[in-house]
Structure formats: C-alpha cells, structure tokens
Amino acid sequence: MGQKFYVTTPIYYVNDSPHIGHAYTTIAADVLARYHRACGHQTWFLTGADEHGVKIVKAAAEKGLTPRQLADSVVVHFQEFWKFLNISNDDFIRTSDARHEKRLQAIMERLLQRDQVYQGKYEGWYDEGQEEFVTESAARENQYQSAISGKPLVRYSEPSWFFRLSQWREKLLAYIQAHPEFIRPESRRNEVLSKLADGLEDLSISRSLAKLDNWGVSLPNDPTHCVYVWIDALSNYITALGYPPIGQEGDQGRWDFWPASLQLIGKDILWFHTVYWPCLLMALDVPLPRTIFAHGWWTSEGKKMSKSLGNFVSREVITELCNEYSRDAFRYFVLREVPFGADGDFSRQAFQLRYNVDLANGVGNLLARTVNMIGRYFQAQVPQPDPSAGAQPVQQAAEALIAAAGPAMEQCRFNAYLDKVQDLVNATNKFIDVTEPFKLAKDATQRQRLGGILYACAEAVRLVLSYLEPFMPDKAAEGLSQLGLAGPRRLDQVGRWGLLTPGQALGKAAMLFPRKL
Ligand code: ME8
C-alpha cells in the first residue's frame, strides 16, 4: 500500500456565497491533493458546507426562507464555484446530510458513554457571527463587541450540555509540545500554547432546538437540544470517512485515511481546530491529525473586504477575472502572491502585474519561443541533446526545482515552490538570450549545438509545466501538448532531467498567456 494523503478544508457557512477567502483555502488544498496524486500517493480531499447554527437560521429568516431552503440554494454556489475553479475534491460533505447526522449522534453517544458530557447551565456572552462563547474578560476588552466582526455580543442564559474540555488541557499541552508539526506555522503554535497556559473551561456543546427553528442535530439523550454548531462542524472531518461505523453504507473503507495528513484553515478558526477538535478526538480515543495549518487573511485593495466599501472579492468578481485571464492564472496568483501563513492583499493591479511578468513574459514566452524555434529549425521535432550546448545553468535550475518541490509542498511553502519554477524559467530565457539560437541557425556548422540548446529549452519547459500542473492543470496540459506530450503524468516519473525523446513531434504552437494591457 502506497503513502496516504488526506487533506481537508474548513466546511464553509452557507449563509452567504463564496469569496476569495474560501477560494484560497480550497485552491491550496486542491494543489496539494493534485501534487500528491501526481506523486502516486493515495489521496483523499474533502471539503463541504457547514449548514447549522444561529448564523444560518438568522440569514434564512432575513430572506424569508427556511434554513433548509437557504442551505439548499447557497450550497449550490459553492459546489458550482469549485467546479468552475477546477477543484478536484473527492467528497463534499454537508452537515445536513443524513450520513453526517447519524454519525454525529453516534459520536455524542460515545461521549456520553465515556462520561465526557454532563448537564449544566450556560450563562454568558455569545458571538453569533463566530458561533463562539466569549469570556467576560474578553467581552469587556472588546467593549462587548465581536473581536472579528465588531457586531454586539449577545447575552445567553440557558441550560446546556457541557463537554469536559478542561480535563484534556494537560494532555493537549503535552501533545503540542511533543509534536512541533501539529500546529503550523510556528507563530500560531505559540499563540495556542500561550492561550492554553491561561487555562481551559468546559465547553457548552448544546443549544435549545426551539430557539434554532428546529434546525440542528438533536442530542441522543435530549431531543430538545441540538449539538453546538462547532462540534457538529468539526466532526465532519471524520464522519465523512465513515466514523463511527454504523450500518452497511459502504464508505467505511475511507477510515483508512485517518488521521488526516493536513487540515487547512484560516487563522480565524485556529482555536476551534487546535483545542476543541483535538480534545474531542482524545475523548473519543481517536488519533489526532498530523498537521493543522492556519493561513493568513486576505484584504482587498488595502482594506478589510466589505460589500459596502465595494472591494469585496466575491465569486462574481473572481469569475470575471478568470474569464479574462483564465482560472489557472487566478489559482496561480493566490498562492504565488503571499507566503502561505502570512496575510495578503488582493489588488487588480498586483494581479495583472503578476500575470504579465510571471505568466505572459515568463513561462508563456519561454514555451512560445521554444516551440517556434524547434518548429522553424527542426521541422517541429525534438532535436538531439548536445554537451557543447552549455546548458548547465538550465539543468542546475531544473535540478534545484526537482529537489525543492517535495520539501516545499510538505511545508505548504507554495511560493517557495513557485520561486524555483520561476528560477528555471528565468535561467532558460536568459540561456536563449545569451546563446542567440536565431543567429546560430544561420550557420550550418553550428547545427548540432543549436539542437542541443533547443533540446535543453524544451526539456526545461517540460519540467516547468509538469511542476506547474498541480497549480495550473489546464494551462500545463495545453503547454505540454504543444511539446507533443499527453497526460496523465506522474511527477515521480517525469520529474527528471533528460527525458524528452529526440525526434518526437511537437504539437501546434499557441499563446498560453496572452499579454494583458
Ligand atoms: O468559519 N482570507 O466558515 P466560514 C482568507 N463554518 N481566508 C478566508 C477569509 C479571508 N478574508 N475569509 C474566509 C467557518 N476565509 C466555519 C468552519 S470548519 C469545521 C467550520 C476562509 O464560511 C478561511 O479558510 O466563515 C476561513 O477559515 C474560512 O474561510 C471560514 O469560512
């Protein structure tokens, strides 16, 4: 059995349509899934929709819909948008799916059996946007407003079921300390460790169903209460794999993918994923995911995204950009522009600049030059390699890319990976400028050397496109077909220098990334 890779995104709330933030996490997960598949690893990629909770109930009421009607209509926007962005998820879970609801109830039963849940009373502040309880001191610090949205906190007072979260604090601390790769990046790990040092209270994990328009998964021991939306949502990562097994539904085999290799989240939901989630798993006696990676936050044109400011990078804006520049350009941009983990800013100007510099003038131009020259001087057939070509700088850049790709992906350092791709493009474009093949072509005595130069160029473009494929599946395939290569390609097989076969016919040249003014 080969190496396994299980990657997840958060499941997104269906109170509103997808935007750049949702697209960002999902594209990152897609690139990782495609990369691991290309390395021959058994891969499972899960995304989905978070459909319960106050947020959805309120949004539905405002639109005069039932929560189910709202969820059913908005979830389609996510599903269609992921298709549009060429997201290759293997599963899409909705927390309103019967498969999830049944398993969530079975999880609650297990927690009850293990004496992990008890009845109490919740009294305090609630951030309805975040679906999160806020301590008195944190509420006071933020003038009783949400630290995330700025909206007023709401006073809650109700009987509730509690999870013995505090009991797991020591064990969790020890785990985080012993597993540096568990929370990434390092700064987020430190943030969690220092917050944990302040202590941990038990967690209210139920809500009155009557107050939620009966929209939620009822507790097996108390039909008047449903499971707190965050416990409901977090458990999707295992219910989607068929945990715990109930009946014969045929998806239990997926449980082999647990523990997850990588769970991608935004920094806004760090605490839920690095404290509630692992404690819940420990209480169920289920192993913890290998890595939770929290990426940064996108702003737009220098400001926090907001519909009223008109800088909201919505599904519609992204669709329009993709129609103009290609969806692959957008996929590339979001992972190239900002180191994964840091905050970033989206602007049309930065997008266009990146497109023209990296894609049109970079890989696009290199491919066009190479295919055109081989077309003109070698009847569109791959020439023979030649040691006198002086292609060492190109080959070295190619080898640097091959060596760096795996470790960069392992650490979600997408921009470091793409830097190496760009280095190879630059080294090859420079090689063409220095060797001037168009001049050599006029001298019959230089034919062998000319062939060697163009072989090296074609080989470099082949590697550039192969390594870009997880980021830009369409464009990479189009470019490779210009080199006469058809998919599907396995990186572990094609990621070596010198694999192009002399004499092989090239395909038709076409502009991969037309320059945009
Ligand atoms: O929190 N920049 O769902 P959600 C970067 N349902 N990423 C952003 C972003 C931004 N400006 N805005 C959103 C929820 N994201 C819960 C999750 S998981 C068990 C339950 C991304 O619809 C980022 O991945 O509010 C963030 O974590 C997620 O969207 C929050 O999506």
Side-chain angles (χ1 to χ4, degrees):
M1 190 86 53
Q3 196 178 317
K4 283 200 162 64
F5 182 74
Y6 174 36
V7 62
T8 66
T9 71
I11 50 171
Y12 306 112
Y13 286 128
V14 288
N15 59 324
D16 213 343
S17 292
H19 56 66
I20 188 173
H22 305 124
Y24 184 45
T25 325
T26 311
I27 291 171
D30 186 61
V31 166
L32 288 159
R34 287 179 184 271
Y35 175 81
H36 281 271
R37 286 191 205 108
C39 292
H41 304 155
Q42 267 187 287
T43 301
W44 196 257
F45 167 16
L46 174 72
T47 187
D50 190 354
E51 303 193 354
H52 296 129
V54 189
K55 225 174 145 112
I56 312 297
V57 172
K58 280 197 158 178
E62 278 162 21
K63 293 192 167 81
L65 299 172
T66 64
R68 177 167 294 283
Q69 283 170 333
L70 177 73
D72 283 349
S73 63
V74 177
V75 75
V76 180
H77 297 164
F78 280 90
Q79 289 167 327
E80 285 177 351
F81 195 45
W82 299 154
K83 277 205 195 93
F84 176 75
L85 289 175
N86 209 357
I87 302 300
S88 64
N89 52 301
D90 295 290
D91 192 6
F92 186 100
I93 190 161
R94 301 178 58 181
T95 49
S96 64
D97 284 346
R99 60 171 174 157
H100 172 76
E101 296 195 355
K102 280 190 283 182
R103 292 201 165 90
L104 177 59
Q105 285 189 319
I107 286 173
M108 296 314 293
E109 246 152 40
R110 283 190 182 201
L111 291 174
L112 283 159
Q113 276 160 14
R114 289 168 176 259
D115 188 31
Q116 286 296 318
V117 173
Y118 64 92
Q119 196 165 25
K121 186 166 187 239
Y122 178 76
E123 179 113 45
W125 298 103
Y126 196 67
D127 177 341
E128 288 189 336
Q130 281 289 95
E131 298 272 16
E132 184 179 17
F133 292 110
V134 180
T135 59
E136 183 60 41
S137 58
R140 202 177 322 117
E141 235 169 69
N142 284 304
Q143 288 90 43
Y144 301 93
Q145 288 168 348
S146 163
I148 305 284
S149 68
K151 291 198 180 134
L153 299 175
V154 177
R155 191 76 190 165
Y156 270 44
S157 170
E158 55 184 40
S160 173
W161 295 86
F162 284 79
F163 167 49
R164 297 191 193 281
L165 181 67
S166 60
Q167 186 184 305
W168 295 98
R169 180 174 158 269
E170 299 300 318
K171 244 187 129 172
L172 178 63
L173 269 169
Y175 188 89
I176 298 173
Q177 263 139 8
H179 296 84
E181 76 291 352
F182 179 56
I183 305 174
R184 281 177 170 173
E186 181 73 20
S187 55
R188 300 286 167 218
R189 177 171 180 262
N190 293 338
E191 201 178 303
V192 173
L193 281 171
S194 87
K195 202 167 157 198
L196 269 176
D198 296 342
L200 201 57
E201 286 172 13
D202 285 350
L203 178 69
S204 160
I205 55 157
S206 79
R207 296 291 179 276
S208 151
L209 256 172
K211 286 193 187 163
L212 284 167
D213 203 8
N214 279 317
W215 183 240
V217 179
S218 59
L219 288 187
N221 59 326
D222 179 355
T224 67
H225 269 222
C226 66
V227 181
Y228 167 41
V229 64
W230 267 101
I231 302 298
D232 180 353
L234 288 165
S235 59
N236 93 86
Y237 302 128
I238 51 176
T239 62
L241 296 184
Y243 177 92
I246 41 167
Q248 288 303 314
E249 289 180 10
D251 52 359
Q252 282 85 347
R254 295 180 191 169
W255 186 237
D256 292 347
F257 279 104
W258 192 260
S261 320
L262 184 60
Q263 302 208 256
L264 297 182
I265 56 167
K267 64 178 184 180
D268 52 323
I269 53 177
L270 180 70
W271 187 249
F272 301 99
H273 281 82
T274 56
V275 177
Y276 299 172
W277 179 225
C279 290
L280 205 61
L281 290 169
M282 289 192 285
L284 290 165
D285 203 17
V286 168
L288 305 193
R290 184 168 180 278
T291 298
I292 312 275
F293 196 112
H295 63 65
W297 208 241
W298 282 93
T299 52
S300 165
E301 310 284 351
K303 296 203 182 74
K304 192 174 170 194
M305 278 202 297
S306 112
K307 287 188 181 159
S308 52
L309 282 180
N311 67 344
F312 199 78
V313 190
S314 63
R315 171 175 68 113
E316 290 80 5
V317 169
I318 297 170
T319 305
E320 178 215 308
L321 274 174
C322 291
N323 289 338
E324 189 181 347
Y325 290 85
S326 77
R327 60 185 180 183
D328 279 355
F330 180 76
R331 291 169 58 103
Y332 176 85
F333 173 80
V334 288
L335 294 177
R336 180 71 186 84
E337 190 67 5
V338 180
F340 206 59
D343 290 337
D345 185 54
F346 175 87
S347 78
R348 281 184 183 260
Q349 206 187 354
F351 185 86
Q352 193 188 39
L353 189 69
R354 190 56 83 187
Y355 175 89
N356 280 331
V357 173
D358 289 9
L359 303 180
N361 298 348
V363 53
N365 185 37
L366 175 63
L367 173 72
R369 293 169 103 182
T370 304
V371 173
N372 283 330
M373 288 191 287
I374 295 180
R376 200 168 321 141
Y377 310 136
F378 290 90
Q379 294 83 46
Q381 286 176 1
V382 176
Q384 288 286 344
D386 183 59
S388 73
Q392 288 79 0
V394 176
Q395 189 174 339
Q396 274 161 13
E399 275 153 9
L401 163 64
I402 295 166
M409 281 295 190
E410 158 66 28
Q411 294 165 35
C412 297
R413 296 180 64 219
F414 303 109
N415 65 327
Y417 180 109
L418 293 171
D419 269 347
K420 292 288 176 202
V421 173
Q422 198 61 36
D423 287 350
L424 176 56
V425 170
N426 294 342
T428 316
N429 269 327
K430 189 169 162 210
F431 178 60
I432 297 177
D433 295 343
V434 171
T435 54
E436 300 185 307
F438 25 88
K439 285 196 184 148
L440 299 181
K442 293 181 188 135
D443 181 350
T445 65
Q446 294 291 322
R447 183 142 181 91
Q448 201 175 324
R449 183 158 169 250
L450 174 67
I453 290 168
L454 294 181
Y455 180 91
C457 294
E459 187 55 3
V461 190
R462 180 185 70 81
L463 285 164
V464 163
L465 294 168
S466 302
Y467 279 87
L468 280 177
E469 198 158 30
F471 295 82
M472 307 205 282
D474 297 338
K475 293 293 179 183
E478 262 176 70
L480 285 163
S481 80
Q482 293 186 33
L483 290 178
L485 299 167
R489 285 158 287 266
R490 283 269 303 261
L491 259 187
D492 54 339
Q493 290 159 10
V494 301
R496 255 181 305 134
W497 180 262
L499 293 187
L500 263 180
T501 317
Q504 182 198 288
L506 300 196
K508 232 176 120 245
M511 280 302 259
L512 211 51
F513 299 105
R515 216 158 278 145
K516 300 278 179 187
L517 297 172

